[in-house]
Amino acid sequence: MLLAIDCGNTNIVFAVFDGEQVKGEWRSSTAADRTADEYGVWLTLLLGTAGLKPADISAAIVASVVPANVFTLKTLCRRYFGCEPLVVGEPEVKLGLAVLLDRPEEVGADRLVNAVAAHARYKGPLIVIDFGTATTFDVVAENGDYLGGAIAPGINLSLEALHMAAAKLPRIAVGRPKGVVGKSTVPAMQSGVYWGYVGLIEGLVRRISEEIGTAATVVATGGLAPLFMEATDVIHHLDQDLTLRGLLEIHRRNV
């Protein structure tokens, strides 16, 4: 079985694949000071709840946007599962696509993994929107090459910035407001963030499509993707497992 680890800025997702089937999926908060043993004990207990044991894991793959966590996760795989993990971004790991950027080494591993998964699952030129700590827009050519994209602050990050920078604005949760014109502070904040991000999505998708010269299929992933998909018709597919499926696909291409 394959252990796939997606380490983001906010959460780390661990998933176990048996072929195409996901046997278990768990998440933990990302913490640079957490040790391999802490992750190992925690994950071993969770594997047990799914009827699995460490000996069932025969391979592992890691994608991390937090460089400080890579060594810890590699140690976890070696010490608790007896395998040397593939790490997306290391030179020997083949992605099966060309990264057509001025500085390819700067691209986050999660963005490349999403590009691989989207090209494997959908046809045509693609725009992948990932609603994470940052909201990223990644552009994939029809042949699968990674063309670049755009990065905006994540929705929760924007809400936190409003609360921290403005003394009278409270900390609120993101949600779809009843109307655009808020009649009090909280609905006004919700409207500005929610409908503002809908405008951001629609505007960037339109401008990207104009720049690449063709309409693109738009795939959304990330925790808040369903909330925004219901408000706009520019998103064609919702794929919550996109990053994990990308890790599975990259592992296949390297074994």
Side-chain angles (χ1 to χ4, degrees):
M1 295 185 190
L2 173 69
L3 174 64
I5 305 174
D6 171 26
C7 178
N9 288 296
T10 304
N11 292 311
I12 304 180
V13 180
F14 299 84
V16 175
F17 285 95
D18 185 3
E20 289 284 337
Q21 185 181 6
V22 179
K23 302 295 287 186
E25 181 180 330
W26 310 275
R27 65 182 59 232
S28 171
S29 60
T30 301
D33 59 351
R34 190 165 293 173
T35 68
D37 290 325
E38 288 177 301
Y39 282 123
V41 171
W42 173 81
L43 190 55
T44 299
L45 290 172
L46 289 173
L47 287 170
T49 66
L52 302 171
K53 54 186 181 297
D56 294 327
I57 306 299
S58 57
I61 184 168
V62 176
S64 177
V65 299
V66 185
N69 278 14
V70 173
F71 177 77
T72 298
L73 295 173
K74 290 172 79 170
T75 302
L76 165 71
C77 295
R78 293 166 182 156
R79 184 175 297 167
Y80 284 84
F81 304 106
C83 59
E84 186 66 29
L86 295 172
V87 178
V88 177
E90 292 188 345
E92 65 274 14
V93 177
K94 302 180 184 70
L95 300 179
L97 54 78
V99 182
L100 304 181
L101 301 184
D102 297 333
R103 299 176 65 88
E105 70 278 3
E106 293 182 353
V107 185
D110 56 338
R111 301 177 71 188
L112 296 176
V113 172
N114 285 346
V116 169
H119 179 64
R121 304 188 81 175
Y122 306 98
K123 296 185 181 297
L126 300 161
I127 300 171
V128 181
I129 308 175
D130 191 344
F131 294 89
T133 305
T135 300
T136 57
F137 296 74
D138 296 304
V139 187
V140 185
E142 189 167 5
N143 67 353
D145 289 347
Y146 181 81
L147 302 180
I151 303 173
I155 297 94
N156 287 319
L157 193 61
S158 296
L159 285 170
E160 187 65 17
L162 277 176
H163 168 67
M164 295 294 292
K168 296 187 70 174
L169 296 184
R171 180 182 282 112
I172 64 169
V174 64
R176 181 172 180 168
K178 294 180 180 179
V180 178
V181 181
K183 299 297 186 180
S184 61
T185 299
V186 170
M189 292 173 67
Q190 288 177 327
S191 177
V193 171
Y194 185 83
W195 294 115
Y197 268 86
V198 171
L200 171 75
I201 293 162
E202 293 175 342
L204 276 175
V205 167
R206 176 177 58 81
R207 289 176 180 273
I208 290 170
S209 297
E210 289 173 355
E211 188 165 309
I212 64 176
T214 184
T217 299
V218 180
V219 182
T221 190
L224 291 174
L227 183 63
F228 287 91
M229 186 173 182
E230 68 184 30
T232 178
D233 58 3
V234 303
I235 299 174
H236 304 113
H237 302 283
L238 175 65
D239 195 333
Q240 296 286 61
D241 295 327
L242 191 69
T243 308
L244 293 175
R245 290 289 171 183
L247 288 171
L248 177 63
E249 179 64 26
I250 292 170
H251 180 263
R252 285 183 182 141
R253 296 179 182 187
N254 285 271
V255 298

